[in-house]
Amino acid sequence: QVQLVESGGGLVQAGGSLRLSCAASGSIFSFNDMGWYRQAPGKHGELVAAITSGGSTNYLDSVKGRFTISRDIAKNTVYLQMNSLKPEDTAVYYCKAKKVIGTSVRDYWGQGTQVTVSS
């Protein structure tokens, strides 16, 4: 059973930084891609950043230049470095991993970590 465990959330002032971590129970190479989603109260969830098994990355327009997704293969961990945080970045952040085997697609989610940015 795949487990994803997030950490690193918290309360920070606007302009500050946080680094989120997502530790997987197995090799992150087994996933086709991994990403960070967020959901703020009363809003739809949105993909913030993703990284493929080949290392390609993509970002939500509003976080480009401020957030960086990276991975440590030896630690089976994906990170989200968040700089220049804004109050609108406040949300619960979830780690997600996707595994494709043939025609079967399976998504795995972490439990979420709260990020609160005060103005």
Side-chain angles (χ1 to χ4, degrees):
Q1 181 69 17
V2 173
Q3 288 187 320
L4 303 174
V5 180
E6 300 112 331
S7 60
L11 172 65
V12 64
Q13 288 188 330
S17 298
L18 285 173
R19 188 177 79 157
L20 305 183
S21 299
C22 173
S25 58
S27 171
I28 59 176
F29 266 141
S30 69
F31 302 116
N32 294 77
D33 61 63
M34 297 184 71
W36 289 94
Y37 285 73
R38 68 186 181 188
Q39 184 156 23
K43 296 184 178 180
H44 292 296
E46 56 186 358
L47 174 64
V48 177
I51 185 166
T52 69
S53 57
S56 299
T57 58
N58 65 281
Y59 297 91
L60 182 68
D61 283 347
S62 62
V63 308
K64 286 180 180 177
R66 300 189 298 122
F67 290 11
T68 302
I69 188 169
S70 63
R71 62 186 180 180
D72 185 327
I73 295 169
K75 295 183 178 179
N76 293 320
T77 300
V78 173
Y79 303 98
L80 184 67
Q81 178 66 45
M82 304 185 295
N83 299 328
S84 302
L85 282 161
K86 304 175 181 180
E88 51 264 43
D89 294 318
T90 295
V92 179
Y93 284 69
Y94 297 90
C95 178
K96 177 195 167 187
K98 182 174 74 176
K99 184 176 291 189
V100 178
I101 302 176
T103 58
S104 173
V105 180
R106 181 76 183 269
D107 290 331
Y108 302 91
W109 293 87
Q111 81 285 358
T113 186
Q114 177 71 47
V115 171
T116 303
V117 184
S118 63
S119 56

